[in-house]
Amino acid sequence: MSESRYQLARAQFNGVNKFIACQLSTESSPLIALSNYFNLTVGPECKDFPPFAEESMLSKPIMTALEYTVSHYAKHNISVPGFLNKERLLQIVPSLAKGLHLIPGCRRCQDFIACDELYLFYVLNIKVIHGWVCDPNDKEFFSVLGNCSRSTLLKSISRPGGLAKLVEGTSNPSSLSKKIQKFAESGLTKYGLRILHEEIGERQLAIICINDQFDVIYKCSGDLFVLETDGHVLTKFGEALWKRLTLTEEESFYVTMHFDPVKGQKNIHKATEWLERKLSDVDDCGDKGKEQASKKGRDRSSQVSNVGIWGDKAKGRGS
């Protein structure tokens, strides 16, 4: 049986020519996300590359990283949990193209139900996060949900009378039922998006999992962007792109790998507004930097003058 072939696209990241792989369907697989993560972070410069790559080519950097990590642990006699089994981890890699089912917990964006597939990310030292997070300030809602996982909640409300039992005794069962239903069906919540902004540092790469779709995510100028891997979109605009992570498509837009607005897109006005804010922030930082530098210069000048004054006085006292 022949391997699947993936379309490749040029992506200049941090001034270095790289390539990224595009997804085969509407779902973004963990193989694509992990392969692109490695290519952007530690992959070599690629001025020329084929238009397509087979699955084994995308898996190779992941396998190499696993081999190195496990060997490093063994070489230095580092005590590791039992899950760090080389054979088991290497067996997971071929299944990445078919997708993974990671189950998020509702309390924190890094909470997932433990499984071998999740350990793969931990071993590779890659931050994997989600946005299905409940707001603790909504105390009744937070209390009713408890420390549940998404699968547990979906099972509970799918049972006959399950949702009614969950909200029994609350102040407004009808309103809370609707809120729980909406929360269970969502992959990214308003509070979850806010927490993701706090969790990911500026210029940091991570992998985000929303409804079992995996994507590379990056923070630039305080905003979160997901690496676009839809081949049709990349072909339309002719280059690799970032897409702003938002709750609605109306607020989202595309930017280039250099974070310039992409011409011809639907929400070009949103992208332009974002760029103007970004440039304004840079100018503000520059002005503040100039003020601080000027102040430091005045302070240093004052210190030099004071040294001179006290030196003269010291001489005067000594004469």
Side-chain angles (χ1 to χ4, degrees):
M1 186 176 179
S2 60
E3 291 186 57
S4 298
R5 299 177 77 222
Y6 296 82
Q7 178 186 340
L8 301 182
R10 187 178 303 279
Q12 193 174 73
F13 185 65
N14 289 336
V16 181
N17 287 318
K18 308 273 189 167
F19 71 82
I20 61 168
C22 303
Q23 61 200 35
L24 292 176
S25 63
T26 55
E27 295 185 357
S28 185
S29 76
L31 174 64
I32 295 290
L34 279 168
S35 174
N36 289 338
Y37 180 95
F38 277 114
N39 278 330
L40 292 179
T41 52
V42 297
E45 183 172 11
C46 297
K47 294 182 179 179
D48 298 302
F49 53 86
F52 294 93
E54 293 186 338
E55 198 172 291
S56 56
M57 179 180 173
L58 303 187
S59 300
K60 187 176 180 180
I62 305 171
M63 300 285 274
T64 302
L66 278 176
E67 291 271 7
Y68 172 81
T69 303
V70 176
S71 299
H72 174 78
Y73 276 48
K75 181 179 178 180
H76 295 279
N77 295 317
I78 299 174
S79 178
V80 295
F83 66 75
L84 192 56
N85 178 283
K86 179 179 176 181
E87 287 69 30
R88 174 63 189 123
L89 289 171
L90 292 176
Q91 286 173 2
I92 295 172
V93 177
S95 66
L96 293 175
K98 300 175 184 177
L100 295 179
H101 182 50
L102 295 186
I103 304 172
C106 70
R107 291 293 176 97
R108 288 176 292 272
C109 65
Q110 291 195 69
D111 282 357
F112 292 91
I113 299 299
C115 62
D116 289 350
E117 290 78 10
L118 181 63
Y119 295 142
L120 177 69
F121 292 90
Y122 293 163
V123 171
L124 293 172
N125 196 29
I126 295 175
K127 178 181 284 189
V128 57
I129 51 180
H130 66 83
W132 191 75
V133 187
C134 176
D135 187 352
N137 294 314
D138 193 343
K139 298 191 182 301
E140 188 172 52
F141 183 55
F142 192 75
S143 175
V144 167
L145 288 182
N147 192 17
C148 72
S149 68
R150 189 160 184 247
S151 62
T152 302
L153 181 60
L154 287 170
K155 286 178 183 177
S156 296
I157 64 178
S158 65
R159 298 191 193 103
L163 185 56
K165 185 176 181 180
L166 203 59
V167 299
E168 188 177 359
T170 59
S171 60
N172 192 335
S174 177
S175 175
L176 192 57
S177 294
K178 293 177 182 177
K179 189 182 291 187
I180 290 174
Q181 189 80 44
K182 183 178 179 181
F183 179 75
E185 293 171 355
S186 69
L188 177 66
T189 66
K190 184 177 181 180
Y191 181 75
L193 183 59
R194 176 182 145 195
I195 292 301
L196 287 175
H197 275 84
E198 296 175 2
E199 184 65 32
I200 301 177
E202 186 70 14
R203 303 280 174 179
Q204 181 184 16
L205 282 170
I207 289 182
I208 187 168
C209 174
I210 299 179
N211 294 335
D212 286 336
Q213 293 197 47
F214 295 77
D215 291 288
V216 174
I217 188 169
Y218 185 70
K219 190 173 187 179
C220 176
S221 297
D223 252 311
L224 297 177
F225 292 86
V226 171
L227 186 66
E228 180 60 70
T229 55
D230 187 323
H232 298 294
V233 174
L234 300 189
T235 299
K236 176 182 177 181
F237 292 111
E239 59 183 322
L241 307 169
W242 293 104
K243 184 178 183 181
R244 187 188 185 206
L245 180 66
T246 58
L247 295 174
T248 64
E249 283 296 318
E250 288 74 18
E251 292 298 316
S252 188
F253 54 79
Y254 289 110
V255 292
T256 67
M257 295 299 288
H258 299 289
F259 293 92
D260 295 320
V262 175
K263 296 178 181 179
Q265 63 176 305
K266 181 180 178 181
N267 290 345
I268 182 64
H269 62 289
K270 291 286 184 182
T272 304
E273 289 172 4
W274 176 83
L275 180 62
E276 289 173 352
R277 286 198 305 271
K278 176 186 172 185
L279 294 176
S280 176
D281 290 342
V282 170
D283 288 342
D284 288 343
C285 290
D287 290 340
K288 289 177 182 177
K290 289 176 183 177
E291 288 176 11
Q292 290 173 355
S294 177
K295 184 177 184 299
K296 287 180 180 179
R298 290 195 300 270
D299 290 343
R300 282 195 296 270
S301 177
S302 175
Q303 290 169 3
V304 171
S305 299
N306 288 337
V307 168
I309 292 170
W310 287 112
D312 290 342
K313 289 185 177 180
K315 288 178 183 177
R317 285 196 299 269
S319 57

